[in-house]
């Protein structure tokens, strides 16, 4: 029996597991390794940080995994050509699927490593606790909240905080580019900008962060800074640091995989989700839950074929980016889907739909009740 090790219980590997057929589950040994006993829905972590919603954002793996998939809770330290080294285990493999997600990328800017984050459940919870304790204090620096980066997750966090903390805090969002949400058409970004401004958010676009020293975040030059006890970094991501500790060549800890999502050095090693790098013409696809899920589904299909000795039927991975939805708190959203722009109620519905779809994949009918 082949031993197939799956590293990371995020969007990519859970999609893979949920797309395996019964034959595969019966005819290979699947072992999932994850540092936590639960899966967290990264795309909803801003709600935790803002205390907008707390339920159903993390889900225990034993409630969603098929009985035939063995789960090991452990931290992966290094990926080698013949084995995986974890904190408490060493695992040999016939095939390994690496899907350990992302870490923040502070581009070497001094002090930014100390910022709060919302990149995993525990960090989002710490951010929430810190903000809610701090804003009770009188000094202005405790009431200033600064979000570094006006990309997807920064804007989602910003809108949720603005709704939840109305008149209790001063919220700033800092962006080096001249407009927020650089991945969206300008017209949609401006819808988001107007909405955030109507909620009292200070949008500092064209402001480049040069360093953070203690509570001071310096923008553009040494004379221009904001003082805040609540500085949250959402500006950049790279692949998981573990990739650095592996035999695979990578750029920003992301492995440039081939058309079958294999790493070139060892075809039994697949890399999917935020740790993988897939080119879309000249530029890589942005790491999103959408592409992670598609890669997981594709790879399950490959494994289903390999185990049935139908390897020759495997086609190359082909991805079409359908667009994305950016929530602006529970009350508003914008979306850019198949070159069409949506905002307000229709975009909110699209966001709800993507959340329901993922819950359904994880829990089936139970998720609807
Ligand atoms: C705040 C935020 C908001 C986002 N919003 C959106 C959105 O709205 N839409 C969208 O498409 N994308 C969004 N993204 C991006 C999206 O979440 C990622 O692209 C997606 O989660 C990638 O899936 P993955 O399976 O590669 O990694 P993840 O889903 O991050 O899963 C990685 C798993 O590996 C585990 N792990 C990490 N390191 C180790 C280790 N050393 N040992 C063992 N286990 C480990 C983690 O605990 C986690 O369970 C957002 C990201 C963030 C941070």
């Amino acid at each position: 029996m082949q031993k197939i090790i799956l590293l990371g219980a995020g969007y990519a590997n859970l999609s893979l597991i949920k797309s395996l057929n019964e034959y595969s589950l019966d005819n290979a040994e699947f072992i999932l390794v994850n540092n936590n006993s639960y899966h967290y829905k990264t795309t909803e972590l801003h709600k935790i940080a803002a205390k907008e919603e707390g339920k159903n954002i993390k889900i225990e793996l034993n409630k969603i995994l098929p009985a035939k998939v063995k789960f090991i809770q452990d931290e992966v330290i290094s990926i080698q050509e013949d084995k995986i080294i974890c904190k408490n285990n060493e695992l040999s493999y016939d095939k390994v699927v690496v899907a350990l997600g992302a870490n923040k990328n502070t581009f070497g800017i001094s002090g930014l490593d100390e910022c709060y984050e919302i990149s995993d459940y525990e960090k989002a919870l710490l951010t929430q606790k810190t903000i809610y304790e701090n804003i009770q204090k009188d000094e202005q620096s405790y009431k200033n909240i600064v979000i570094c980066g006006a990309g997807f997750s920064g804007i989602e966090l910003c809108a949720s905080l603005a709704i939840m903390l109305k008149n209790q805090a001063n919220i700033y969002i800092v962006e080096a580019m001249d407009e927020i949400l650089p991945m969206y058409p300008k017209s949609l970004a401006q819808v988001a900008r107007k909405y955030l401004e109507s909620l009292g958010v200070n949008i500092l676009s064209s402001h480049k962060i040069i360093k953070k020293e203690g509570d001071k975040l310096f923008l553009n030059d040494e004379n221009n800074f904001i003082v805040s006890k609540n500085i949250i970094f959402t500006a950049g991501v790279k692949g998981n640091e573990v990739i650095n500790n592996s035999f695979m060549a990578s750029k920003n800890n992301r492995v440039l995989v081939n058309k079958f999502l294999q790493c070139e050095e060892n075809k039994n090693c697949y890399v999917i989700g935020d740790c993988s790098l897939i080119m879309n013409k000249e530029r890589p696809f942005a790491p999103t839950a959408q592409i992670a899920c598609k890669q997981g589904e594709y790879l399950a299909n490959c494994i289903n074929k390999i185990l049935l000795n139908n390897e020759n039927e495997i086609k190359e991975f082909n991805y079409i980016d359908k667009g994305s939805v950016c929530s602006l708190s529970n009350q508003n959203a914008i979306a850019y889907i198949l070159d069409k722009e949506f905002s307000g109620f229709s975009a909110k519905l699209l966001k709800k739909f993507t959340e329901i779809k993922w819950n359904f994949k994880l829990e089936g009918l139970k998720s609807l009740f």
Side-chain angles (χ1 to χ4, degrees):
M1 235 189 200
Q2 288 211 37
K3 188 171 169 187
I4 304 180
I5 308 275
L6 310 169
L7 305 179
Y11 289 83
N13 265 341
L14 290 180
S15 280
L16 186 161
I17 289 170
K18 291 292 177 178
S19 308
L20 290 169
N21 62 25
E22 279 303 317
Y23 183 87
S24 294
L25 288 167
D26 284 336
N27 287 282
E29 184 187 4
F30 290 94
I31 302 175
L32 174 69
V33 183
N34 195 59
N35 50 3
N36 302 307
S37 64
Y38 56 83
H39 161 68
Y40 51 81
K41 300 168 193 166
T42 326
T43 60
E44 298 185 53
L45 287 178
H46 60 278
K47 297 182 190 171
I48 294 286
K51 220 180 193 171
E52 194 178 22
E53 210 173 295
K55 278 198 283 178
N56 302 328
I57 292 177
K58 77 174 189 185
I59 177 161
E60 286 300 322
L61 289 165
N62 63 13
K63 291 198 176 139
I64 53 174
L65 288 179
K68 288 167 191 160
V69 173
K70 184 178 168 194
F71 173 60
I72 297 178
Q73 186 178 348
D74 206 344
E75 190 181 330
V76 180
I77 307 287
S78 143
I79 301 161
Q80 305 191 355
E81 268 204 85
D82 56 343
K83 60 177 184 265
I84 308 298
I85 315 270
C86 302
K87 216 168 174 180
N88 305 306
N89 293 279
E90 242 183 61
L91 303 163
S92 61
Y93 61 84
D94 295 303
K95 293 191 189 306
V96 62
V97 182
V98 182
L100 292 168
N103 288 149
K104 73 178 165 201
N105 186 359
T106 54
F107 309 102
I109 300 171
S110 161
L112 287 187
D113 275 335
E114 302 155 6
C115 292
Y116 294 100
E117 285 180 62
I118 58 165
S119 54
D120 67 33
Y121 189 84
E122 290 299 328
K123 287 180 183 142
L125 208 55
L126 176 66
T127 301
Q128 180 206 97
K129 281 193 183 132
T130 308
I131 290 173
Y132 277 82
E133 273 172 30
N134 279 349
I135 58 164
Q136 302 304 322
K137 298 177 185 153
D138 288 334
E139 203 188 303
Q140 193 56 48
S141 64
Y142 286 97
K143 293 191 186 296
N144 287 344
I145 298 174
V146 186
I147 298 163
C148 306
F152 218 86
S153 48
I155 290 294
E156 290 194 321
L157 174 65
C158 182
S160 294
L161 284 172
I163 288 287
M164 296 304 294
L165 301 177
K166 230 174 193 172
N167 305 326
Q168 297 179 67
N170 300 316
I171 302 175
Y172 297 83
I173 186 157
V174 181
E175 170 59 51
M177 309 281 275
D178 61 353
E179 188 49 286
I180 59 170
L181 291 168
M183 67 296 281
Y184 276 131
K186 277 233 151 105
S187 46
L188 261 189
Q190 276 160 13
V191 172
R193 172 185 278 271
K194 279 199 188 119
Y195 181 67
L196 292 174
E197 283 173 346
S198 77
L199 298 175
V201 172
N202 304 288
I203 300 178
L204 305 178
S205 46
S206 304
H207 279 72
K208 203 168 171 208
I209 299 168
I210 56 166
K211 63 177 174 181
K212 174 181 176 292
E213 271 177 7
D215 299 339
K216 287 185 183 165
L217 188 72
F218 290 82
L219 307 174
N220 289 341
D221 60 51
E222 294 276 343
N223 305 315
N224 191 11
F225 58 84
I226 310 175
V227 184
S228 168
K229 300 272 187 205
N230 314 293
I231 302 179
I232 309 157
F233 183 85
T234 61
V237 289
K238 57 184 176 186
N240 194 303
E241 284 299 336
V242 171
I243 299 292
N244 239 340
N245 263 341
S246 79
F247 66 91
M248 299 171 279
S250 63
K251 192 176 174 201
N252 281 333
N253 299 342
R254 297 179 75 195
V255 178
L256 183 63
V257 287
N258 69 15
K259 298 275 184 199
F260 304 96
L261 309 183
Q262 294 159 312
C263 98
E264 279 303 343
E265 293 91 340
N266 176 350
K267 300 264 167 22
N268 286 318
C269 177
Y270 299 84
V271 187
I272 57 177
D274 288 358
C275 291
S276 69
L277 188 69
I278 298 211
M279 297 307 283
N280 176 20
K281 297 174 189 138
E282 291 97 52
R283 301 188 62 191
F285 279 112
T288 62
Q290 191 192 132
I291 190 167
C293 289
K294 288 287 169 212
Q295 288 174 312
E297 285 164 18
Y298 165 86
L299 209 49
N301 197 23
C302 295
I303 292 171
N304 291 339
K305 289 199 158 82
I306 291 168
L307 293 173
L308 278 167
N309 287 324
N310 290 335
E311 216 161 334
N312 53 339
E313 290 177 11
I314 293 176
K315 298 201 175 79
E316 294 180 349
F317 177 70
N318 188 14
Y319 178 68
I320 297 165
D321 185 5
K322 295 204 181 94
S324 61
V325 193
C326 177
S327 73
L328 300 169
S329 79
N330 273 343
Q331 306 189 8
N332 202 349
I334 54 167
Y336 188 58
I337 309 279
L338 299 172
D339 294 336
K340 288 201 171 61
E341 297 180 16
F342 301 86
S343 59
F345 184 69
S346 55
K348 245 173 56 177
L349 271 186
L350 286 164
K351 183 76 182 179
K352 202 76 213 150
F353 174 71
T354 57
E355 290 173 7
I356 290 173
K357 201 172 145 203
W358 183 240
N359 292 340
F360 189 78
K361 184 158 216 163
L362 294 181
E363 293 186 278
L365 280 177
K366 221 173 96 191
S367 69
L368 302 176
F369 304 103

